[in-house]
Amino acid sequence: MGRLFWKILLTFWLTLLVAGGVTGIAVWWHHSDLQDMEKDVVIRPSSIIAVKAVANTFLYGGKEAMRNMLQEQRDDAPQDLQIYAVDPNGKELLERTVSDDTLQRVRASLGKNLKLPIVRQVQTGADSYLLFAPLAGQYPQFQQERRLPPPHRISTPTLIISGIAVSFLSSFLLAWYFSQPIGILRKAFRAAAKGDLSQRVTATIGSRRDEIADLGRDFDDMATKLQILMASQRRLLHDVSHELRSPLARLQASIGLAHQQPEKVASSLARIEHEAGRLDTLVGEVLTLSRLESGVPQPLDEYIDILELADAVIDDARFEANALSRQVVFQCDVEGNPIIQGHGELLYRALENVVRNAIHHTPENTAVTLAIHHDTAVSRLHLTVDDQGSGVPEAELGSIFEPFQRSSNASASRNGYGLGLAIARRAIESHGGTIRAFNKTDGGLRIVIQLPLLH
């Protein structure tokens, strides 16, 4: 049992003991007041009803009616139903004897707010009477208490010990209920700190529906995301190492060829320059992707005219497309100049990567289409890039935005690293947008980008 368990146990246990003690004292206090009254007054349901009956007779029938009722009680009623009526001067209505000491204690009981109406003060007009059933009076039968035999009672020490045991048991169960899942969470956190991210606690905690269960589910979500992130980092490191190995091997081969065949130094230097350029491009894309995945917020303080940005991308794309015997078509139904607040270079890289990817996957003598549409209902901008290639297998649509992922339909002659769409997705998402891929019904791949417009 941990420290939290004992803290919860002792706190609840002491609270129950204090609450029980206060309640017991209050009950004892009230009971002591009743015990004091029992020295002078009969405390029985029958006497309580008799007092109430006499009071109602006086209130609704007057003094004479009450006198007649008390006279009948004195002559005919059972011994424990005799009611006395005393005026403010201490004179009993039927001139029966009431000791001054008894009368003083009976009057004092009126200020104790006892719940049982064993004493009543009634008044109508100028007449006022104190009603009660005494234990002592003019009749000899009132010299002894007339009560029903008391029921069997449990002793006070037994009640105290039982209360302490029950309060301890309930506090123990409550402390265990709260501390047990926290112990499970602590164990899972320790395992995660040691690198074991396979721990899950939701199944162990059970079907609880409270904040602790929510914490367990949050831990499972965190562990799952960390596990995915660690796996992604390991995969990225493996893929980067694999991609660097090929150009480095070609660099080493070119250097060796230059040493062995000095007459081919020029061609070897050209190959070395080409491979160095590829390495520089790869390292640049990896660094860009790393900055986007690091979680470090990029400054989104530029106001970008999306049409100007699209024009710049189209101009550069058309230059490359013409060299590959492709075309780039631009369609726009947006009025005015839609403005997006963000990072201009990141948005340019994102859109350029998508368009260039489409150019290299569409066949010769076909066109890539970039269309821009303004959805006024949600104030978002839709950009679609369509090619006329072979598309992507449905099972791979969700993974083409992961680093170093290439479609199985991609041409073997395509010199890419599989980082363009990954950079595009992270750049778009950093601007609060989304990017998705769909296969068109008439062939080819469609990339849909949604970006929020500046209000």
Side-chain angles (χ1 to χ4, degrees), residues 227-261:
Q227 197 171 25
I228 293 174
L229 180 60
M230 294 296 293
S232 176
Q233 288 182 343
R234 287 192 291 267
R235 185 175 67 249
L236 179 61
L237 181 61
H238 173 270
D239 292 340
V240 169
S241 301
H242 177 75
E243 293 293 339
L244 287 174
R245 183 176 299 170
S246 296
L248 285 175
R250 289 190 291 268
L251 276 175
Q252 292 175 343
S254 298
I255 293 172
L257 184 62
H259 284 300
Q260 295 173 5
Q261 300 178 358

PDB file of all heavy atoms in Angstrom, residues 227-261:
ATOM      1  N   GLN A 227       4.784   5.788 -29.189  1.00  0.00           N
ATOM      2  CA  GLN A 227       5.244   4.579 -29.861  1.00  0.00           C
ATOM      3  C   GLN A 227       5.306   4.784 -31.369  1.00  0.00           C
ATOM      4  O   GLN A 227       6.282   4.376 -32.027  1.00  0.00           O
ATOM      5  CB  GLN A 227       4.311   3.421 -29.509  1.00  0.00           C
ATOM      6  CG  GLN A 227       4.883   2.049 -29.787  1.00  0.00           C
ATOM      7  CD  GLN A 227       4.004   0.958 -29.215  1.00  0.00           C
ATOM      8  OE1 GLN A 227       2.806   1.132 -29.034  1.00  0.00           O
ATOM      9  NE2 GLN A 227       4.586  -0.200 -28.924  1.00  0.00           N
ATOM     10  N   ILE A 228       4.280   5.440 -31.903  1.00  0.00           N
ATOM     11  CA  ILE A 228       4.270   5.725 -33.346  1.00  0.00           C
ATOM     12  C   ILE A 228       5.400   6.681 -33.698  1.00  0.00           C
ATOM     13  O   ILE A 228       6.087   6.516 -34.713  1.00  0.00           O
ATOM     14  CB  ILE A 228       2.908   6.306 -33.747  1.00  0.00           C
ATOM     15  CG1 ILE A 228       1.807   5.257 -33.585  1.00  0.00           C
ATOM     16  CG2 ILE A 228       2.938   6.815 -35.179  1.00  0.00           C
ATOM     17  CD1 ILE A 228       0.404   5.792 -33.822  1.00  0.00           C
ATOM     18  N   LEU A 229       5.609   7.699 -32.831  1.00  0.00           N
ATOM     19  CA  LEU A 229       6.663   8.678 -33.097  1.00  0.00           C
ATOM     20  C   LEU A 229       8.045   8.030 -33.062  1.00  0.00           C
ATOM     21  O   LEU A 229       8.879   8.293 -33.937  1.00  0.00           O
ATOM     22  CB  LEU A 229       6.588   9.803 -32.070  1.00  0.00           C
ATOM     23  CG  LEU A 229       7.643  10.920 -32.204  1.00  0.00           C
ATOM     24  CD1 LEU A 229       7.519  11.603 -33.560  1.00  0.00           C
ATOM     25  CD2 LEU A 229       7.495  11.940 -31.083  1.00  0.00           C
ATOM     26  N   MET A 230       8.279   7.155 -32.070  1.00  0.00           N
ATOM     27  CA  MET A 230       9.574   6.487 -31.983  1.00  0.00           C
ATOM     28  C   MET A 230       9.793   5.570 -33.189  1.00  0.00           C
ATOM     29  O   MET A 230      10.892   5.526 -33.761  1.00  0.00           O
ATOM     30  CB  MET A 230       9.648   5.688 -30.684  1.00  0.00           C
ATOM     31  CG  MET A 230       9.642   6.546 -29.426  1.00  0.00           C
ATOM     32  SD  MET A 230      11.100   7.605 -29.293  1.00  0.00           S
ATOM     33  CE  MET A 230      12.363   6.380 -29.049  1.00  0.00           C
ATOM     34  N   ALA A 231       8.722   4.849 -33.563  1.00  0.00           N
ATOM     35  CA  ALA A 231       8.845   3.982 -34.737  1.00  0.00           C
ATOM     36  C   ALA A 231       9.100   4.811 -35.993  1.00  0.00           C
ATOM     37  O   ALA A 231       9.907   4.423 -36.856  1.00  0.00           O
ATOM     38  CB  ALA A 231       7.581   3.142 -34.902  1.00  0.00           C
ATOM     39  N   SER A 232       8.439   5.977 -36.081  1.00  0.00           N
ATOM     40  CA  SER A 232       8.652   6.851 -37.239  1.00  0.00           C
ATOM     41  C   SER A 232      10.073   7.379 -37.270  1.00  0.00           C
ATOM     42  O   SER A 232      10.693   7.455 -38.340  1.00  0.00           O
ATOM     43  CB  SER A 232       7.648   8.006 -37.183  1.00  0.00           C
ATOM     44  OG  SER A 232       7.889   8.921 -38.230  1.00  0.00           O
ATOM     45  N   GLN A 233      10.607   7.724 -36.107  1.00  0.00           N
ATOM     46  CA  GLN A 233      11.978   8.218 -36.075  1.00  0.00           C
ATOM     47  C   GLN A 233      12.968   7.134 -36.470  1.00  0.00           C
ATOM     48  O   GLN A 233      13.919   7.395 -37.212  1.00  0.00           O
ATOM     49  CB  GLN A 233      12.297   8.745 -34.674  1.00  0.00           C
ATOM     50  CG  GLN A 233      11.619  10.061 -34.329  1.00  0.00           C
ATOM     51  CD  GLN A 233      12.004  10.557 -32.947  1.00  0.00           C
ATOM     52  OE1 GLN A 233      12.511   9.795 -32.119  1.00  0.00           O
ATOM     53  NE2 GLN A 233      11.745  11.825 -32.691  1.00  0.00           N
ATOM     54  N   ARG A 234      12.731   5.917 -35.959  1.00  0.00           N
ATOM     55  CA  ARG A 234      13.638   4.823 -36.344  1.00  0.00           C
ATOM     56  C   ARG A 234      13.544   4.540 -37.838  1.00  0.00           C
ATOM     57  O   ARG A 234      14.565   4.302 -38.505  1.00  0.00           O
ATOM     58  CB  ARG A 234      13.302   3.568 -35.533  1.00  0.00           C
ATOM     59  CG  ARG A 234      13.733   3.649 -34.074  1.00  0.00           C
ATOM     60  CD  ARG A 234      13.637   2.289 -33.401  1.00  0.00           C
ATOM     61  NE  ARG A 234      12.262   1.872 -33.241  1.00  0.00           N
ATOM     62  CZ  ARG A 234      11.542   2.102 -32.163  1.00  0.00           C
ATOM     63  NH1 ARG A 234      12.069   2.750 -31.146  1.00  0.00           N
ATOM     64  NH2 ARG A 234      10.294   1.670 -32.084  1.00  0.00           N
ATOM     65  N   ARG A 235      12.306   4.564 -38.366  1.00  0.00           N
ATOM     66  CA  ARG A 235      12.141   4.332 -39.792  1.00  0.00           C
ATOM     67  C   ARG A 235      12.784   5.452 -40.604  1.00  0.00           C
ATOM     68  O   ARG A 235      13.421   5.211 -41.649  1.00  0.00           O
ATOM     69  CB  ARG A 235      10.659   4.215 -40.130  1.00  0.00           C
ATOM     70  CG  ARG A 235      10.402   3.841 -41.592  1.00  0.00           C
ATOM     71  CD  ARG A 235       8.936   3.623 -41.881  1.00  0.00           C
ATOM     72  NE  ARG A 235       8.177   4.863 -41.754  1.00  0.00           N
ATOM     73  CZ  ARG A 235       7.307   5.098 -40.790  1.00  0.00           C
ATOM     74  NH1 ARG A 235       7.098   4.181 -39.836  1.00  0.00           N
ATOM     75  NH2 ARG A 235       6.644   6.227 -40.738  1.00  0.00           N
ATOM     76  N   LEU A 236      12.633   6.699 -40.122  1.00  0.00           N
ATOM     77  CA  LEU A 236      13.233   7.822 -40.826  1.00  0.00           C
ATOM     78  C   LEU A 236      14.754   7.711 -40.837  1.00  0.00           C
ATOM     79  O   LEU A 236      15.411   7.944 -41.861  1.00  0.00           O
ATOM     80  CB  LEU A 236      12.801   9.133 -40.163  1.00  0.00           C
ATOM     81  CG  LEU A 236      13.356  10.426 -40.770  1.00  0.00           C
ATOM     82  CD1 LEU A 236      12.911  10.576 -42.217  1.00  0.00           C
ATOM     83  CD2 LEU A 236      12.929  11.642 -39.957  1.00  0.00           C
ATOM     84  N   LEU A 237      15.326   7.336 -39.680  1.00  0.00           N
ATOM     85  CA  LEU A 237      16.783   7.180 -39.616  1.00  0.00           C
ATOM     86  C   LEU A 237      17.245   6.079 -40.563  1.00  0.00           C
ATOM     87  O   LEU A 237      18.261   6.231 -41.274  1.00  0.00           O
ATOM     88  CB  LEU A 237      17.189   6.860 -38.171  1.00  0.00           C
ATOM     89  CG  LEU A 237      18.692   6.681 -37.917  1.00  0.00           C
ATOM     90  CD1 LEU A 237      19.444   7.962 -38.265  1.00  0.00           C
ATOM     91  CD2 LEU A 237      18.940   6.283 -36.468  1.00  0.00           C
ATOM     92  N   HIS A 238      16.495   4.985 -40.591  1.00  0.00           N
ATOM     93  CA  HIS A 238      16.851   3.892 -41.496  1.00  0.00           C
ATOM     94  C   HIS A 238      16.746   4.327 -42.951  1.00  0.00           C
ATOM     95  O   HIS A 238      17.636   4.053 -43.769  1.00  0.00           O
ATOM     96  CB  HIS A 238      15.942   2.694 -41.221  1.00  0.00           C
ATOM     97  CG  HIS A 238      16.108   1.576 -42.202  1.00  0.00           C
ATOM     98  ND1 HIS A 238      15.368   1.483 -43.376  1.00  0.00           N
ATOM     99  CD2 HIS A 238      16.949   0.493 -42.205  1.00  0.00           C
ATOM    100  CE1 HIS A 238      15.739   0.417 -44.044  1.00  0.00           C
ATOM    101  NE2 HIS A 238      16.682  -0.214 -43.355  1.00  0.00           N
ATOM    102  N   ASP A 239      15.650   5.025 -43.287  1.00  0.00           N
ATOM    103  CA  ASP A 239      15.446   5.438 -44.678  1.00  0.00           C
ATOM    104  C   ASP A 239      16.481   6.468 -45.114  1.00  0.00           C
ATOM    105  O   ASP A 239      16.969   6.424 -46.249  1.00  0.00           O
ATOM    106  CB  ASP A 239      14.032   6.009 -44.841  1.00  0.00           C
ATOM    107  CG  ASP A 239      12.962   4.942 -44.687  1.00  0.00           C
ATOM    108  OD1 ASP A 239      13.289   3.750 -44.836  1.00  0.00           O
ATOM    109  OD2 ASP A 239      11.801   5.305 -44.409  1.00  0.00           O
ATOM    110  N   VAL A 240      16.808   7.416 -44.215  1.00  0.00           N
ATOM    111  CA  VAL A 240      17.826   8.419 -44.558  1.00  0.00           C
ATOM    112  C   VAL A 240      19.166   7.736 -44.789  1.00  0.00           C
ATOM    113  O   VAL A 240      19.898   8.053 -45.745  1.00  0.00           O
ATOM    114  CB  VAL A 240      17.914   9.480 -43.447  1.00  0.00           C
ATOM    115  CG1 VAL A 240      19.140  10.364 -43.651  1.00  0.00           C
ATOM    116  CG2 VAL A 240      16.667  10.345 -43.440  1.00  0.00           C
ATOM    117  N   SER A 241      19.500   6.791 -43.910  1.00  0.00           N
ATOM    118  CA  SER A 241      20.769   6.069 -44.084  1.00  0.00           C
ATOM    119  C   SER A 241      20.787   5.326 -45.412  1.00  0.00           C
ATOM    120  O   SER A 241      21.809   5.308 -46.130  1.00  0.00           O
ATOM    121  CB  SER A 241      20.971   5.080 -42.931  1.00  0.00           C
ATOM    122  OG  SER A 241      20.974   5.765 -41.696  1.00  0.00           O
ATOM    123  N   HIS A 242      19.656   4.713 -45.758  1.00  0.00           N
ATOM    124  CA  HIS A 242      19.583   3.968 -47.014  1.00  0.00           C
ATOM    125  C   HIS A 242      19.710   4.905 -48.225  1.00  0.00           C
ATOM    126  O   HIS A 242      20.408   4.591 -49.206  1.00  0.00           O
ATOM    127  CB  HIS A 242      18.256   3.205 -47.074  1.00  0.00           C
ATOM    128  CG  HIS A 242      18.063   2.464 -48.352  1.00  0.00           C
ATOM    129  ND1 HIS A 242      18.727   1.302 -48.657  1.00  0.00           N
ATOM    130  CD2 HIS A 242      17.262   2.734 -49.433  1.00  0.00           C
ATOM    131  CE1 HIS A 242      18.360   0.886 -49.862  1.00  0.00           C
ATOM    132  NE2 HIS A 242      17.465   1.733 -50.349  1.00  0.00           N
ATOM    133  N   GLU A 243      19.030   6.068 -48.154  1.00  0.00           N
ATOM    134  CA  GLU A 243      19.073   7.001 -49.275  1.00  0.00           C
ATOM    135  C   GLU A 243      20.455   7.639 -49.424  1.00  0.00           C
ATOM    136  O   GLU A 243      20.881   7.945 -50.540  1.00  0.00           O
ATOM    137  CB  GLU A 243      18.013   8.094 -49.079  1.00  0.00           C
ATOM    138  CG  GLU A 243      16.576   7.612 -49.163  1.00  0.00           C
ATOM    139  CD  GLU A 243      16.209   7.136 -50.560  1.00  0.00           C
ATOM    140  OE1 GLU A 243      16.901   7.532 -51.523  1.00  0.00           O
ATOM    141  OE2 GLU A 243      15.243   6.365 -50.690  1.00  0.00           O
ATOM    142  N   LEU A 244      21.147   7.854 -48.318  1.00  0.00           N
ATOM    143  CA  LEU A 244      22.492   8.442 -48.396  1.00  0.00           C
ATOM    144  C   LEU A 244      23.521   7.449 -48.920  1.00  0.00           C
ATOM    145  O   LEU A 244      24.539   7.845 -49.511  1.00  0.00           O
ATOM    146  CB  LEU A 244      22.927   8.938 -47.010  1.00  0.00           C
ATOM    147  CG  LEU A 244      22.247  10.199 -46.484  1.00  0.00           C
ATOM    148  CD1 LEU A 244      22.678  10.472 -45.055  1.00  0.00           C
ATOM    149  CD2 LEU A 244      22.577  11.408 -47.366  1.00  0.00           C
ATOM    150  N   ARG A 245      23.270   6.159 -48.712  1.00  0.00           N
ATOM    151  CA  ARG A 245      24.276   5.156 -49.073  1.00  0.00           C
ATOM    152  C   ARG A 245      24.515   5.110 -50.583  1.00  0.00           C
ATOM    153  O   ARG A 245      25.663   5.009 -51.035  1.00  0.00           O
ATOM    154  CB  ARG A 245      23.811   3.787 -48.564  1.00  0.00           C
ATOM    155  CG  ARG A 245      24.825   2.668 -48.811  1.00  0.00           C
ATOM    156  CD  ARG A 245      24.342   1.384 -48.207  1.00  0.00           C
ATOM    157  NE  ARG A 245      24.173   1.531 -46.764  1.00  0.00           N
ATOM    158  CZ  ARG A 245      23.570   0.616 -46.004  1.00  0.00           C
ATOM    159  NH1 ARG A 245      23.058  -0.473 -46.570  1.00  0.00           N
ATOM    160  NH2 ARG A 245      23.467   0.809 -44.712  1.00  0.00           N
ATOM    161  N   SER A 246      23.433   5.210 -51.366  1.00  0.00           N
ATOM    162  CA  SER A 246      23.603   5.081 -52.827  1.00  0.00           C
ATOM    163  C   SER A 246      24.429   6.215 -53.425  1.00  0.00           C
ATOM    164  O   SER A 246      25.419   5.959 -54.135  1.00  0.00           O
ATOM    165  CB  SER A 246      22.237   5.006 -53.499  1.00  0.00           C
ATOM    166  OG  SER A 246      21.557   3.840 -53.089  1.00  0.00           O
ATOM    167  N   PRO A 247      24.096   7.514 -53.184  1.00  0.00           N
ATOM    168  CA  PRO A 247      24.944   8.565 -53.762  1.00  0.00           C
ATOM    169  C   PRO A 247      26.358   8.562 -53.201  1.00  0.00           C
ATOM    170  O   PRO A 247      27.324   8.882 -53.918  1.00  0.00           O
ATOM    171  CB  PRO A 247      24.202   9.859 -53.410  1.00  0.00           C
ATOM    172  CG  PRO A 247      23.270   9.511 -52.313  1.00  0.00           C
ATOM    173  CD  PRO A 247      22.919   8.087 -52.511  1.00  0.00           C
ATOM    174  N   LEU A 248      26.526   8.184 -51.936  1.00  0.00           N
ATOM    175  CA  LEU A 248      27.882   8.104 -51.385  1.00  0.00           C
ATOM    176  C   LEU A 248      28.682   7.001 -52.075  1.00  0.00           C
ATOM    177  O   LEU A 248      29.881   7.172 -52.346  1.00  0.00           O
ATOM    178  CB  LEU A 248      27.818   7.850 -49.876  1.00  0.00           C
ATOM    179  CG  LEU A 248      27.422   9.045 -49.008  1.00  0.00           C
ATOM    180  CD1 LEU A 248      27.273   8.621 -47.550  1.00  0.00           C
ATOM    181  CD2 LEU A 248      28.464  10.164 -49.125  1.00  0.00           C
ATOM    182  N   ALA A 249      28.014   5.881 -52.352  1.00  0.00           N
ATOM    183  CA  ALA A 249      28.709   4.792 -53.058  1.00  0.00           C
ATOM    184  C   ALA A 249      29.125   5.234 -54.457  1.00  0.00           C
ATOM    185  O   ALA A 249      30.234   4.930 -54.922  1.00  0.00           O
ATOM    186  CB  ALA A 249      27.803   3.559 -53.118  1.00  0.00           C
ATOM    187  N   ARG A 250      28.216   5.988 -55.122  1.00  0.00           N
ATOM    188  CA  ARG A 250      28.574   6.469 -56.454  1.00  0.00           C
ATOM    189  C   ARG A 250      29.682   7.508 -56.391  1.00  0.00           C
ATOM    190  O   ARG A 250      30.531   7.589 -57.297  1.00  0.00           O
ATOM    191  CB  ARG A 250      27.335   7.030 -57.147  1.00  0.00           C
ATOM    192  CG  ARG A 250      26.336   5.947 -57.558  1.00  0.00           C
ATOM    193  CD  ARG A 250      25.245   6.502 -58.460  1.00  0.00           C
ATOM    194  NE  ARG A 250      24.348   7.398 -57.743  1.00  0.00           N
ATOM    195  CZ  ARG A 250      23.221   6.989 -57.148  1.00  0.00           C
ATOM    196  NH1 ARG A 250      22.880   5.707 -57.175  1.00  0.00           N
ATOM    197  NH2 ARG A 250      22.446   7.851 -56.544  1.00  0.00           N
ATOM    198  N   LEU A 251      29.692   8.321 -55.354  1.00  0.00           N
ATOM    199  CA  LEU A 251      30.787   9.279 -55.176  1.00  0.00           C
ATOM    200  C   LEU A 251      32.124   8.551 -55.020  1.00  0.00           C
ATOM    201  O   LEU A 251      33.133   8.917 -55.643  1.00  0.00           O
ATOM    202  CB  LEU A 251      30.518  10.154 -53.949  1.00  0.00           C
ATOM    203  CG  LEU A 251      29.627  11.376 -54.136  1.00  0.00           C
ATOM    204  CD1 LEU A 251      29.361  12.044 -52.795  1.00  0.00           C
ATOM    205  CD2 LEU A 251      30.275  12.387 -55.088  1.00  0.00           C
ATOM    206  N   GLN A 252      32.126   7.522 -54.163  1.00  0.00           N
ATOM    207  CA  GLN A 252      33.361   6.768 -53.970  1.00  0.00           C
ATOM    208  C   GLN A 252      33.806   6.079 -55.252  1.00  0.00           C
ATOM    209  O   GLN A 252      35.009   6.038 -55.569  1.00  0.00           O
ATOM    210  CB  GLN A 252      33.163   5.737 -52.856  1.00  0.00           C
ATOM    211  CG  GLN A 252      32.985   6.364 -51.472  1.00  0.00           C
ATOM    212  CD  GLN A 252      32.668   5.329 -50.427  1.00  0.00           C
ATOM    213  OE1 GLN A 252      32.272   4.206 -50.756  1.00  0.00           O
ATOM    214  NE2 GLN A 252      32.832   5.703 -49.154  1.00  0.00           N
ATOM    215  N   ALA A 253      32.847   5.555 -56.019  1.00  0.00           N
ATOM    216  CA  ALA A 253      33.206   4.900 -57.282  1.00  0.00           C
ATOM    217  C   ALA A 253      33.789   5.910 -58.267  1.00  0.00           C
ATOM    218  O   ALA A 253      34.772   5.614 -58.989  1.00  0.00           O
ATOM    219  CB  ALA A 253      31.977   4.227 -57.876  1.00  0.00           C
ATOM    220  N   SER A 254      33.212   7.118 -58.324  1.00  0.00           N
ATOM    221  CA  SER A 254      33.723   8.139 -59.243  1.00  0.00           C
ATOM    222  C   SER A 254      35.121   8.575 -58.844  1.00  0.00           C
ATOM    223  O   SER A 254      35.996   8.795 -59.703  1.00  0.00           O
ATOM    224  CB  SER A 254      32.783   9.351 -59.244  1.00  0.00           C
ATOM    225  OG  SER A 254      31.493   8.976 -59.694  1.00  0.00           O
ATOM    226  N   ILE A 255      35.345   8.708 -57.539  1.00  0.00           N
ATOM    227  CA  ILE A 255      36.687   9.097 -57.080  1.00  0.00           C
ATOM    228  C   ILE A 255      37.691   8.001 -57.416  1.00  0.00           C
ATOM    229  O   ILE A 255      38.813   8.271 -57.884  1.00  0.00           O
ATOM    230  CB  ILE A 255      36.660   9.383 -55.562  1.00  0.00           C
ATOM    231  CG1 ILE A 255      35.812  10.623 -55.278  1.00  0.00           C
ATOM    232  CG2 ILE A 255      38.071   9.580 -55.020  1.00  0.00           C
ATOM    233  CD1 ILE A 255      35.572  10.880 -53.816  1.00  0.00           C
ATOM    234  N   GLY A 256      37.300   6.735 -57.210  1.00  0.00           N
ATOM    235  CA  GLY A 256      38.209   5.639 -57.543  1.00  0.00           C
ATOM    236  C   GLY A 256      38.494   5.585 -59.031  1.00  0.00           C
ATOM    237  O   GLY A 256      39.632   5.310 -59.451  1.00  0.00           O
ATOM    238  N   LEU A 257      37.455   5.834 -59.859  1.00  0.00           N
ATOM    239  CA  LEU A 257      37.652   5.828 -61.306  1.00  0.00           C
ATOM    240  C   LEU A 257      38.597   6.946 -61.745  1.00  0.00           C
ATOM    241  O   LEU A 257      39.430   6.762 -62.655  1.00  0.00           O
ATOM    242  CB  LEU A 257      36.296   5.979 -62.004  1.00  0.00           C
ATOM    243  CG  LEU A 257      36.312   5.896 -63.527  1.00  0.00           C
ATOM    244  CD1 LEU A 257      36.807   4.527 -63.994  1.00  0.00           C
ATOM    245  CD2 LEU A 257      34.903   6.158 -64.099  1.00  0.00           C
ATOM    246  N   ALA A 258      38.488   8.096 -61.083  1.00  0.00           N
ATOM    247  CA  ALA A 258      39.371   9.209 -61.431  1.00  0.00           C
ATOM    248  C   ALA A 258      40.817   8.876 -61.107  1.00  0.00           C
ATOM    249  O   ALA A 258      41.751   9.270 -61.840  1.00  0.00           O
ATOM    250  CB  ALA A 258      38.933  10.471 -60.672  1.00  0.00           C
ATOM    251  N   HIS A 259      41.050   8.149 -60.010  1.00  0.00           N
ATOM    252  CA  HIS A 259      42.418   7.745 -59.659  1.00  0.00           C
ATOM    253  C   HIS A 259      42.952   6.707 -60.637  1.00  0.00           C
ATOM    254  O   HIS A 259      44.132   6.749 -61.010  1.00  0.00           O
ATOM    255  CB  HIS A 259      42.446   7.172 -58.231  1.00  0.00           C
ATOM    256  CG  HIS A 259      42.375   8.228 -57.173  1.00  0.00           C
ATOM    257  ND1 HIS A 259      43.307   9.244 -57.037  1.00  0.00           N
ATOM    258  CD2 HIS A 259      41.471   8.435 -56.170  1.00  0.00           C
ATOM    259  CE1 HIS A 259      42.997  10.018 -56.015  1.00  0.00           C
ATOM    260  NE2 HIS A 259      41.854   9.552 -55.473  1.00  0.00           N
ATOM    261  N   GLN A 260      42.099   5.783 -61.055  1.00  0.00           N
ATOM    262  CA  GLN A 260      42.553   4.697 -61.925  1.00  0.00           C
ATOM    263  C   GLN A 260      42.686   5.144 -63.382  1.00  0.00           C
ATOM    264  O   GLN A 260      43.551   4.655 -64.115  1.00  0.00           O
ATOM    265  CB  GLN A 260      41.581   3.516 -61.826  1.00  0.00           C
ATOM    266  CG  GLN A 260      41.545   2.876 -60.441  1.00  0.00           C
ATOM    267  CD  GLN A 260      40.459   1.814 -60.332  1.00  0.00           C
ATOM    268  OE1 GLN A 260      39.803   1.505 -61.338  1.00  0.00           O
ATOM    269  NE2 GLN A 260      40.279   1.261 -59.127  1.00  0.00           N
ATOM    270  N   GLN A 261      41.818   6.062 -63.805  1.00  0.00           N
ATOM    271  CA  GLN A 261      41.833   6.504 -65.204  1.00  0.00           C
ATOM    272  C   GLN A 261      41.886   8.028 -65.241  1.00  0.00           C
ATOM    273  O   GLN A 261      40.860   8.707 -65.331  1.00  0.00           O
ATOM    274  CB  GLN A 261      40.588   5.988 -65.934  1.00  0.00           C
ATOM    275  CG  GLN A 261      40.482   4.474 -65.956  1.00  0.00           C
ATOM    276  CD  GLN A 261      39.217   3.986 -66.654  1.00  0.00           C
ATOM    277  OE1 GLN A 261      38.386   4.776 -67.101  1.00  0.00           O
ATOM    278  NE2 GLN A 261      39.080   2.666 -66.761  1.00  0.00           N
TER     279      GLN A 261
END
